[in-house]
Amino acid sequence: MLLWSSIVGLIRGVSESLGATGGAAMIYSVASVFLLLSVGFPKLREFPRTYLFWGSLLFVSYELCLALSIGYANSSQQAIEVSMVNYLWPALTMVCAIVFNHQKTNFLIIPGFIIALMGICWVLGGERGLDFASITANIQDNPLSYALAFMGALIWAAYCTVTARIANGKNGVTLFFMLTAAALWVKYMLMGAEPMQFDLHTLIYLVLAAAAMGFGYAAWNVGILHGNVTLLAGASYFIPVFSAALAAFVLQTSLSLSFWQGAAMVCIGSVLCWVATRQK
């Protein structure tokens, strides 16, 4: 969770120097090397074909949405706000687990989900909090980033649900990262391959971002394959607070009181959702 919490600020730090697509391509390429050296390349013959197809498709799609939504943000503050939209995925994962995996729950799941959703809206409202005019204006300022973040939340919820059912205990994270890097490099070349400017500051951010991404996802895949998906999703509700704090520190950005109020609401919703899905 701590590794994931650092991703937003680090991705944004790299993209400011290397560009949204080029920076993301470099991050996933270096992360793939880290995973090859630590986790190794999986034995694909032992993998269920359905997992290879759907796992690859959903994982790569999500990572493209995540990295590009942050990279395309107009400012560091907007990048943090965009990342909060992406954090709808834990709530959506629980809903998917209940609907498709028949996870047992109780009535607390409803207020928990609503409070978490209101927390996201509170953040998007800026200093006015839950103000629909401000939320609309904020989204219209950069609809692409917000749309990518929301699509990513839906896709990652589907990935977590599908993987728990069809992976048969296999972990394809190294392959998935390599496919993501390849997709980003193709996009980078098609866009004209604009030059990237490297310096010591950028290289440090790149290595840190790649390590956080690679090892964070490796740990997460182990959790969803061998652990409790709803418990992981519930615990993930606390990521927004840690992520926002680390991103604000890394990007030297101040966040308003209403932002932290919204983040707190997301955490409260997480507790209710965890209680609702906890098995006696």
Side-chain angles (χ1 to χ4, degrees), residues 1 89-90 220 222-225 227-237:
M1 298 302 176
W89 71 259
W220 177 263
V222 171
I224 63 175
L225 291 173
N228 187 316
V229 174
T230 55
L231 179 60
L232 285 173
S236 299
Y237 270 122

Side-chain angles (χ1 to χ4, degrees), residues 2 4-10 80-81 83-84 87 238-256 259-260 263:
L2 291 176
W4 263 21
S5 298
S6 65
I7 287 175
V8 173
L10 294 173
I80 299 173
E81 293 177 355
S83 71
M84 293 297 291
Y87 287 130
F238 293 94
I239 292 180
V241 174
F242 296 119
S243 177
L246 288 173
F249 174 76
V250 171
L251 302 176
Q252 298 181 350
T253 302
S254 60
L255 301 173
S256 66
F259 180 96
W260 294 112

Side-chain angles (χ1 to χ4, degrees), residues 107-117 237 265-266 268-270 272-273:
F107 73 96
L108 288 177
I109 192 68
I110 297 176
F113 181 84
I114 292 175
I115 291 173
L117 184 60
Y237 270 122
M265 292 171 66
V266 173
I268 293 172
S270 76
L272 291 177
C273 289

Side-chain angles (χ1 to χ4, degrees), residues 143-177:
L144 178 59
S145 282
Y146 287 108
L148 287 172
F150 181 71
M151 289 174 57
L154 293 172
I155 294 170
W156 191 248
Y159 172 81
C160 292
T161 305
V162 168
T163 298
R165 298 185 63 181
I166 66 175
N168 197 26
K170 303 300 181 181
N171 189 347
V173 66
T174 302
L175 171 65
F176 297 160
F177 260 74

Side-chain angles (χ1 to χ4, degrees), residues 176-261:
F176 297 160
F177 260 74
M178 294 174 69
L179 291 174
T180 303
L184 286 165
W185 281 120
V186 170
K187 183 177 184 298
Y188 178 72
M189 295 299 176
L190 292 176
M191 291 178 59
E194 295 183 359
M196 295 181 282
Q197 299 179 352
F198 288 91
D199 54 30
L200 181 60
H201 179 269
T202 302
L203 290 174
I204 293 175
Y205 270 41
L206 174 60
V207 172
L208 291 176
M213 291 285 281
F215 298 135
Y217 277 99
W220 177 263
N221 262 30
V222 171
I224 63 175
L225 291 173
H226 305 290
N228 187 316
V229 174
T230 55
L231 179 60
L232 285 173
S236 299
Y237 270 122
F238 293 94
I239 292 180
V241 174
F242 296 119
S243 177
L246 288 173
F249 174 76
V250 171
L251 302 176
Q252 298 181 350
T253 302
S254 60
L255 301 173
S256 66
L257 176 61
S258 61
F259 180 96
W260 294 112
Q261 290 173 338

